[in-house]
Amino acid sequence: MACVVVLSLMRTLELEFMQPLPRPILQQKELIPCNKDLVLSLHKKLGSLMELFDENRIDGVETIKDLETKLRDVAFRIEDEIELQVVHLYEEEEDEFRIFAGIFDIFDRFVDQTFQPRENHIYVEMSHGEKSTRHRQSLHQTSTQHCQRLHQILHRAVQDIDAITEELAKAKEEYQLFKHHLQGGTKVNVLPIPTYQVISMPDSSHHASRSKEIMVGKQDEFDIIKEMLIQHPSKQLEIVSIKGMRGIGKTTLARQIYEDSSITSYFDKQAWVVTSQHHNKRQMLCGLLGSKHHNAGNSSNEDLALRLYQSFKCQRYLVVMDDVWSEEAWDAIKTCFPDDGNGSRVLVTTRLAKVANHICTQNDFSHQMQLLEQSESWKLFNEKACKSRGAEFEMIGRPVVEKCKGLPLAIIVVAGLFSKLNTLDEWKNTANALRSSSATTLDDEECSRILSLTYNHLPHNLKACLLYLGVFPEDHKINANKLAKLWLAEGLVKAFENESFGAVANRYMQELMDRNLIILSELSSCRRKIKRFRMHDLLHAFCMREAQNENLLHVVQSENSSYFSQKGFRWVSIQYEDFNMSTIQHYTLKSYRSFFSFLWGKSFSNFINSNLLRVLFCYFTRMKHKNIVDSVHLRFLGVPNSIELSMAQGFLKSRRGESIELSRSWNLQTLHSHGKVIYRLDEGRKYLEFPQLHYISCGNYFCGNPPNFVHKLDGIGADNCSKEYITNIPCLKKVRIKGEDKEINACIANLAYLEQLERLWVSCWFGTNTPINNDIVLLKNLRKLKLYGMRFEWEKITLLSKLPRVEVLKLLYMSCVGKEWEIQDEVIFAS
């Protein structure tokens, strides 16, 4: 379970000591040359040790578990010591500056009052020289001390890792001897991890097939619910419930009904909301109103409820309330559903019979879901395992499927595990581990055993990435692009020589989906990548629990969890709407690295004791942040604040007064603001350097010359896009340009200098039917083009067919004039 911290530590070593452009303060103190060999040795030993843990998974052996815990604690300590050492360098630099500035100031005043001008001049020269010499000597002495301190940290770390490696080798040797002397050996199992590391991406047809979840043995139940919704003679508003245990397929069944063509044609309006265990009335109201109401401003809950009621009035509607845990969740929102006697329906899924009984007034509209029969279970297993096996494999697999007791979630998770096993011995060993339990019913504990075995069988990189998903709220639709950047910031993925970090992250997500550990929600426009996905609540609960047990995660979901314990944790996730964000400043969060806020309401956070902060992620746009002090290690910043990047202004400073000063964030990678981002020259005509900063996004617009290493820049003005401006950012792959149509057309020719440009989003403010510039065909590598508000005639769009590699074309908000686009036979889009 040490995978998260070890990967994080390895990435910290790379960023601080192994990158081509390390921190200036580390270079000034000369800490890297004298410790380079130790850094490289530690990094290599950590990688080798994780491979040793992966090579042969020994399930249930306490010695191995204890060693993993020991490794986790050692990695925790090493990373804390290294990152705090870097923080102390900056603190000492500040102290030295203040002390010497004060000394010189006092000395100058003393000299002015005591000595004659000529003597004064001579004395001052000597004194400043002496002070400067002493200062240099002091700095050299301090650098030596820091070198020695870092050397001690790294030397002790290497010794500790060597000791754990030796203990692991010894434990495995003893285990192999023990297994050799056992007769039969059915009670002990070694689960070998597949040796392959390359995860191939399937083609788009495979992705498309995964967008619909397989429903085996549920056709009868599908027809029953469908009859309640559209064929029952009752014309009054009826509440229909689907009840059943976790993992039985309630949400999947409801989703397939919701998207069925006969349902969508029957109802005038449809809406879907997830309530979950910790329901929030405002969140449910905004969810039912739709995404455009997520930022509901200062509207009260009563105003939102009235707006929702009015949107349903005189409509035949279907509302799905998924995963209702309590009677209170229903009671909080039930008055929003008008009854116009037109056959409207509300479909509720719940695992609790008492909730279904409270909501449904008639038994005719309540359905209890059933477990799968054995034949259905085996069919589902085969479809999800995606492999055709011989009779020997079937003899092993059928008892495993029987162990799942007809629960669809358990079956598909087990199928995902077995789909990655290629030999008969691998199947036997894994089956032995699953059959070792004597349980006769499939309760939450038995489900947890199945999930735990699947989790333990993952390579360490996938383990870490899966565990990280526990920071998100239950039933949250996770954006794949944002997750990739978060994984990067946490050190869980990294780029390789021939592969970007985004491609690596996408491989990992695809692998998790192939193992049935995540559920696809939406594909990207090109249909080759995952855009959004979600987790089943059982899997989410498992990840959250494991992360909490490993001292990685603290989740605030209720008033009871608002207290921050003194033991260290890495990730803080705030999901309790009534949590007082201003209290964050009172906690000394020694080890926490990442802070996530999923609050809907407007609030202010005040970060003071957060000098190890590396991720600050605000999902909604109404929370402001201030006093982020000494965030030396910040890598991901996503906030509503407007941001200024300027040496003179302290790097980040909100235009509205919420001060964010992060002048030392050398390893900043992702910057996302819902306001403005301004990048200025300082008084010395220099820009701040952030060699890892590849992604900048701003809800308003970007001002200034962007850093030349940025890969994605969201929100630059068309009037700024001169040739000089464009050629300064040669690595740009994705860009969004805003402006008037004439300004946009004027800059399009200059975009051709961006040889790596793959995605272009043009937002036009005042479209006037101006034809798009013919120079757009010069964008030879463009794959995705999105036009917003351009307003040109349909026939003019045929020009875009000359773009040789365009795969996705999106025309949004009156981009073209006219009702139809008639494509001539000679117009052919290459992709």
Side-chain angles (χ1 to χ4, degrees):
M1 306 297 183
C3 51
V4 170
V5 194
V6 173
L7 287 172
S8 175
L9 172 56
M10 291 176 69
R11 186 58 176 154
T12 294
L13 292 172
E14 292 166 4
L15 287 174
E16 297 296 349
F17 307 113
M18 297 167 64
Q19 66 165 302
L21 292 173
R23 291 178 186 272
I25 197 167
L26 294 180
Q27 299 180 65
Q28 293 164 12
K29 302 292 185 180
E30 299 180 341
L31 296 189
I32 297 177
C34 59
N35 290 294
K36 185 176 181 180
D37 290 342
L38 274 175
V39 168
L40 295 175
S41 176
L42 177 59
H43 186 273
K44 183 178 180 180
K45 289 175 184 291
L46 287 167
S48 299
L49 184 54
M50 291 310 299
E51 289 177 5
L52 281 176
F53 274 108
D54 269 357
E55 278 178 5
N56 289 286
R57 170 60 51 194
I58 305 176
D59 188 56
V61 178
E62 289 301 320
T63 305
I64 304 299
K65 292 181 179 179
D66 292 343
L67 284 175
E68 285 197 83
T69 301
K70 186 175 181 179
L71 175 59
R72 179 204 67 191
D73 293 342
V74 166
F76 263 134
R77 188 204 75 224
I78 297 169
E79 189 167 38
D80 282 351
E81 290 177 343
I82 289 173
E83 292 194 325
L84 285 171
Q85 182 78 356
V86 176
V87 172
H88 293 158
L89 292 178
Y90 285 104
E91 292 174 345
E92 284 192 4
E93 186 180 58
E94 276 187 355
D95 292 340
E96 289 173 359
F97 176 80
R98 284 195 294 265
I99 291 170
F100 281 99
I103 290 174
F104 287 138
D105 184 57
I106 293 170
F107 180 75
D108 286 341
R109 291 201 302 269
F110 172 76
V111 169
D112 288 341
Q113 296 171 6
T114 308
F115 296 96
Q116 297 296 323
R118 182 175 179 80
E119 294 173 348
N120 179 22
H121 174 73
I122 295 171
Y123 188 85
V124 169
E125 292 271 346
M126 291 174 61
S127 298
H128 276 288
E130 290 172 2
K131 291 293 183 184
S132 179
T133 300
R134 291 177 184 175
H135 188 198
R136 286 195 298 270
Q137 291 173 346
S138 175
L139 289 177
H140 177 72
Q141 184 178 5
T142 304
S143 296
T144 302
Q145 292 172 350
H146 284 301
C147 279
Q148 292 174 347
R149 174 58 182 150
L150 181 59
H151 185 90
Q152 291 171 354
I153 293 171
L154 295 171
H155 181 69
R156 181 187 173 192
V158 168
Q159 289 181 322
D160 289 343
I161 298 303
D162 282 342
I164 294 173
T165 304
E166 291 176 8
E167 290 182 64
L168 178 61
K170 183 179 179 181
K172 287 196 171 187
E173 183 180 348
E174 291 176 351
Y175 176 76
Q176 293 299 330
L177 289 172
F178 171 69
K179 189 183 71 165
H180 179 72
H181 287 91
L182 280 179
Q183 293 182 350
T186 57
K187 294 295 182 181
V188 182
N189 45 81
V190 179
L191 303 182
I193 293 294
T195 55
Y196 64 86
Q197 290 298 322
V198 177
I199 303 168
S200 59
M201 288 296 296
D203 59 26
S204 58
S205 62
H206 175 80
H207 273 289
S209 69
R210 294 298 299 268
S211 64
K212 280 277 188 181
E213 295 176 53
I214 299 170
M215 289 293 288
V216 174
K218 297 297 179 184
Q219 185 61 49
D220 289 345
E221 294 185 291
F222 180 94
D223 293 338
I224 290 170
I225 302 300
K226 185 173 163 182
E227 181 181 353
M228 293 178 185
L229 295 178
I230 64 176
Q231 296 171 1
H232 195 280
S234 174
K235 292 301 179 182
Q236 69 184 61
L237 173 65
E238 299 289 357
I239 315 302
V240 179
S241 70
I242 302 175
K243 56 188 178 182
M245 66 185 295
R246 291 203 294 183
I248 203 169
K250 300 183 295 296
T251 299
T252 303
L253 177 60
R255 176 61 69 181
Q256 293 212 333
I257 292 169
Y258 185 81
E259 295 175 351
D260 185 74
S261 58
S262 62
I263 296 292
T264 56
S265 62
Y266 182 80
F267 291 100
D268 302 320
K269 186 179 180 68
Q270 292 180 241
W272 181 294
V273 68
V274 179
T275 58
S276 298
Q277 184 174 3
H278 303 280
H279 77 276
N280 177 274
K281 181 177 180 179
R282 188 176 187 85
Q283 187 170 342
M284 289 191 292
L285 291 170
C286 290
L288 288 170
L289 282 167
S291 58
K292 64 182 179 179
H293 295 282
H294 279 176
N295 299 318
N298 296 319
S299 298
S300 65
N301 285 355
E302 290 70 24
D303 291 338
L304 294 176
L306 177 60
R307 199 183 307 173
L308 181 59
Y309 180 89
Q310 291 172 339
S311 71
F312 288 138
K313 189 65 178 170
C314 300
Q315 302 272 334
R316 181 159 63 192
Y317 58 86
L318 170 64
V319 171
V320 176
M321 294 184 65
D322 188 31
D323 199 17
V324 178
W325 276 69
S326 66
E327 301 167 10
E328 291 77 18
W330 166 253
D331 292 340
I333 204 169
K334 65 182 180 181
T335 57
C336 298
F337 305 127
D339 186 357
D340 293 319
N342 57 6
S344 293
R345 299 286 186 264
V346 176
L347 177 61
V348 174
T349 72
T350 180
R351 67 193 63 173
L352 302 173
K354 68 173 185 177
V355 173
N357 295 336
H358 174 79
I359 292 174
C360 297
T361 54
Q362 301 183 51
N363 289 333
D364 290 348
F365 292 95
S366 182
H367 175 70
Q368 173 71 53
M369 284 196 72
Q370 303 299 310
L371 294 167
L372 297 177
E373 297 178 356
Q374 271 303 306
S375 60
E376 297 167 341
S377 297
W378 181 245
K379 180 180 179 183
L380 177 61
F381 176 84
N382 280 321
E383 289 184 354
K384 285 293 185 178
C386 299
K387 287 185 181 178
S388 171
R389 302 288 186 176
E392 291 178 312
F393 286 94
E394 183 171 343
M395 287 179 63
I396 298 169
R398 279 195 177 274
V400 169
V401 174
E402 288 176 12
K403 190 71 179 175
C404 296
K405 306 293 191 300
L407 187 68
L409 176 67
I411 294 168
I412 65 172
V413 170
V414 167
L417 170 59
F418 277 81
S419 71
K420 300 301 177 181
L421 306 177
N422 298 309
T423 68
L424 201 60
D425 284 341
E426 289 175 339
W427 273 54
K428 286 179 180 177
N429 289 330
T430 306
N432 286 337
L434 283 169
R435 286 200 296 260
S436 62
S437 171
S438 59
T440 57
T441 59
L442 193 67
D443 54 13
D444 283 355
E445 184 177 350
E446 188 64 17
C447 282
S448 183
R449 270 183 52 81
I450 294 172
L451 298 180
S452 182
L453 180 66
T454 302
Y455 171 76
N456 287 336
H457 198 62
L458 293 172
H460 67 267
N461 48 6
L462 289 182
K463 274 186 189 175
C465 290
L466 179 66
L467 214 59
Y468 191 75
L469 302 182
V471 305
F472 295 95
E474 183 182 338
D475 296 311
H476 185 78
K477 286 188 178 179
I478 300 171
N479 182 289
N481 284 332
K482 286 184 179 177
L483 178 64
K485 295 177 180 66
L486 288 167
W487 277 350
L488 176 70
E490 302 285 3
L492 306 184
V493 300
K494 67 175 184 176
F496 295 100
E497 187 175 345
N498 60 347
E499 191 175 25
S500 69
F501 83 86
V504 174
N506 200 58
R507 280 199 292 113
Y508 289 178
M509 283 180 246
Q510 182 62 47
E511 177 73 356
L512 292 175
M513 193 173 78
D514 289 343
R515 293 172 181 267
N516 302 314
L517 297 175
I518 61 175
I519 303 168
L520 179 67
S521 295
E522 185 180 353
L523 284 170
S524 64
S525 301
C526 65
R527 313 297 292 175
R528 287 199 301 266
K529 295 180 180 180
I530 300 169
K531 184 174 183 179
R532 290 185 182 86
F533 67 88
R534 61 185 177 87
M535 297 184 78
H536 190 279
D537 53 6
L538 260 177
L539 279 160
H540 177 268
F542 172 83
C543 290
M544 193 170 73
R545 183 173 62 252
E546 286 294 309
Q548 288 171 332
N549 291 340
E550 291 300 309
N551 295 340
L552 292 170
L553 173 63
H554 180 77
V555 181
V556 178
Q557 292 178 317
S558 64
E559 186 176 358
N560 293 334
S561 58
S562 297
Y563 171 74
F564 287 78
S565 65
Q566 290 301 309
K567 70 178 182 179
F569 42 80
R570 309 276 292 192
W571 313 319
V572 179
S573 181
I574 307 296
Q575 302 169 21
Y576 175 47
E577 195 65 31
D578 293 329
F579 179 74
N580 185 356
M581 288 295 300
S582 64
T583 62
I584 288 292
Q585 61 183 305
H586 301 307
Y587 298 106
T588 303
L589 306 177
K590 178 183 176 182
S591 299
Y592 99 109
R593 299 299 198 282
S594 305
F595 186 92
F596 303 83
S597 170
F598 296 94
L599 304 186
W600 286 63
K602 185 174 182 179
S603 61
F604 290 84
S605 62
N606 197 334
F607 290 85
I608 294 179
N609 303 311
S610 53
N611 54 9
L612 296 181
L613 186 70
R614 72 169 54 152
V615 169
L616 178 55
F617 178 83
C618 182
Y619 186 74
F620 296 108
T621 61
R622 293 179 54 76
M623 189 172 75
K624 300 290 185 179
H625 301 274
K626 57 185 178 180
N627 292 338
I628 302 176
V629 180
D630 293 331
S631 294
V632 174
H633 300 291
L634 192 73
R635 300 177 191 172
F636 182 107
L637 178 64
V639 293
N641 305 60
S642 290
I643 294 171
E644 186 168 324
L645 291 77
S646 170
M647 182 80 74
Q649 298 298 322
F651 173 42
L652 296 179
K653 193 170 185 179
S654 169
R655 305 286 287 176
R656 297 184 180 181
E658 292 87 21
S659 177
I660 305 177
E661 297 184 0
L662 303 168
S663 58
R664 302 159 180 170
S665 301
W666 183 259
N667 292 322
L668 186 67
Q669 299 164 349
T670 298
L671 180 60
H672 184 88
S673 165
H674 294 287
K676 299 177 184 178
V677 175
I678 303 171
Y679 192 37
R680 299 183 189 274
L681 292 165
D682 68 2
E683 292 91 339
R685 305 298 295 169
K686 292 182 180 179
Y687 287 105
L688 282 172
E689 289 186 83
F690 303 97
Q692 300 294 324
L693 182 56
H694 293 155
Y695 176 87
I696 300 176
S697 173
C698 43
N700 200 327
Y701 57 85
F702 183 91
C703 301
N705 289 343
N708 58 13
F709 33 74
V710 168
H711 291 171
K712 180 172 181 178
L713 186 55
D714 187 344
I716 59 175
D719 54 342
N720 289 329
C721 295
S722 63
K723 177 182 176 181
E724 180 183 6
Y725 184 97
I726 290 296
T727 53
N728 187 54
I729 41 178
C731 300
L732 203 63
K733 296 180 179 180
K734 305 175 186 178
V735 66
R736 178 164 65 111
I737 297 174
K738 301 179 179 181
E740 298 184 24
D741 48 11
K742 293 180 180 179
E743 296 172 342
I744 290 170
N745 272 327
C747 82
I748 280 178
N750 293 327
L751 295 178
Y753 292 101
L754 298 173
E755 296 182 358
Q756 299 185 44
L757 187 65
E758 297 179 356
R759 298 186 180 188
L760 173 62
W761 180 5
V762 175
S763 294
C764 184
W765 294 329
F766 305 107
T768 56
N769 296 8
T770 303
I772 197 165
N773 192 328
N774 291 346
D775 289 332
I776 198 169
V777 300
L778 300 175
L779 306 180
K780 301 298 184 182
N781 290 313
L782 200 66
R783 296 183 182 275
K784 183 175 181 178
L785 176 61
K786 185 187 297 186
L787 302 176
Y788 181 93
M790 285 292 289
R791 292 187 62 81
F792 48 82
E793 301 291 340
W794 278 116
E795 58 267 21
K796 304 296 183 183
I797 206 173
T798 57
L799 173 69
L800 303 179
S801 66
K802 297 181 180 180
L803 288 166
R805 296 191 178 183
V806 163
E807 300 171 350
V808 177
L809 174 62
K810 289 189 175 183
L811 306 174
L812 308 173
Y813 187 65
M814 301 168 58
S815 283
C816 294
V817 178
K819 294 182 178 180
E820 293 184 2
W821 179 17
E822 295 183 5
I823 305 178
Q824 304 301 318
D825 292 340
E826 64 272 14
V827 176
I828 300 174
F829 283 82
S831 298

